[in-house]
Amino acid sequence: QAYIDSLKEAGKSASTVSRCVASIKSLYTHLCIEKVLAHNPARFLKSEKTVKKPPEILTDEEISLLLEQPRCVDLKGYRDKAMLEVLYATGMRVSELIGLELSDVDLNNKVLLCRGNDKERYIPIYDKAVAALEDYLSLVRPQLAASEDETTLFLNVSGESMSRQGFWKIIKFYAQKANIDKDITPHTLRHSFAAHLLENGADIHAIQQMLGHS
């Protein structure tokens, strides 16, 4: 408790203190399970109440700047352009984006089949995202694929499925290049997608369906 009090006195945020409390509780729970300790001295420690911050929303100008950053001069540029365009065009979760299969893409009808939380939904995509996907599929993906049996849509430079961490680094890299001074995460584009649709008069229930919210 004295340690936690010292964190507060040092001006640490509630979320930082809560993470420390959670770590201490996990440690002592583990020690009890392993029978190193007979009693858990941390069982009554209380976590700090954290204030949930509203999500960061990018302006139209910031979105345009971000989407302009990937340069289609090499394989990575084409791929990153397609990934960012698709993420903003659909409002998908990152896990849904990197889980897309080749069979989920229907460029003729300009829709993607998204599979998330045991549900499926079709999401329309705009022309720029369609064009970016066409370029990626025709020019880049055949060169990236490690084998002909690979069915994942977006691949890393090793020809395998992209990871969440890998895509998070891509977002951060291009946000810095665009000089966007906001705490951008992959989820930021999802929130921005919803906010911009709402600002332009889209039906809230239609947005809810596209986002895959229950």
Side-chain angles (χ1 to χ4, degrees):
Q1 187 60 55
Y3 166 64
I4 292 165
D5 291 341
S6 73
L7 291 175
K8 295 177 187 175
E9 288 166 11
K12 300 298 182 183
S13 68
S15 60
T16 296
V17 175
S18 287
R19 283 199 300 274
C20 291
V21 169
S23 297
I24 291 168
K25 288 170 81 77
S26 293
L27 170 65
Y28 281 104
T29 298
H30 172 72
L31 292 174
C32 287
I33 290 170
E34 293 295 318
K35 296 186 169 44
V36 176
L37 295 178
H39 302 288
N40 186 343
R43 61 185 295 200
F44 296 115
L45 279 180
K46 293 281 195 303
S47 294
E48 288 293 292
K49 287 187 177 177
T50 57
V51 179
K52 197 168 184 180
K53 293 191 294 185
E56 288 272 26
I57 302 294
L58 299 182
T59 65
D60 288 338
E61 292 76 17
E62 286 169 334
I63 283 289
S64 295
L65 263 176
L66 184 65
L67 296 180
E68 286 170 5
Q69 294 313 306
R71 302 297 179 198
C72 295
V73 294
D74 56 17
L75 300 181
K76 190 174 179 299
Y78 276 102
R79 183 205 61 195
D80 294 352
K81 174 77 171 172
M83 292 189 81
L84 289 181
E85 288 284 2
V86 168
L87 193 64
Y88 178 63
T90 61
M92 285 182 181
R93 300 174 181 89
V94 173
S95 57
E96 294 169 341
L97 178 78
I98 61 177
L100 284 172
E101 300 274 312
L102 287 171
S103 58
D104 297 330
V105 181
D106 183 352
L107 294 182
N108 290 329
N109 293 306
K110 300 179 182 179
V111 294
L112 295 177
L113 174 59
C114 178
R115 310 165 197 272
N117 295 339
D118 299 323
K119 296 179 183 175
E120 294 184 354
R121 64 192 189 278
Y122 283 96
I123 308 176
I125 54 175
Y126 51 66
D127 288 344
K128 280 186 73 175
V130 170
L133 268 176
E134 285 175 338
D135 287 343
Y136 168 72
L137 286 170
S138 62
L139 303 174
V140 174
R141 194 186 176 283
Q143 298 184 63
L144 283 179
S147 76
E148 293 182 1
D149 297 329
E150 179 59 69
T151 59
T152 304
L153 175 61
F154 291 114
L155 306 173
N156 60 24
V157 291
S158 299
E160 300 166 343
S161 300
M162 175 81 63
S163 68
R164 285 177 58 86
Q165 293 85 353
F167 187 64
W168 185 82
K169 289 176 183 175
I170 289 171
I171 291 268
K172 286 288 185 185
F173 172 72
Y174 289 120
Q176 287 175 349
K177 278 191 72 177
N179 293 317
I180 298 173
D181 189 23
K182 287 182 178 175
D183 184 22
I184 296 180
T185 69
H187 227 57
T188 305
L189 291 190
R190 181 169 161 84
H191 292 304
S192 302
F193 161 85
H196 295 167
L197 281 179
L198 203 57
E199 287 170 4
N200 287 290
D203 177 70
I204 187 71
H205 297 296
I207 298 173
Q208 178 185 1
Q209 285 185 327
M210 282 188 276
L211 289 172
H213 284 169
S214 57

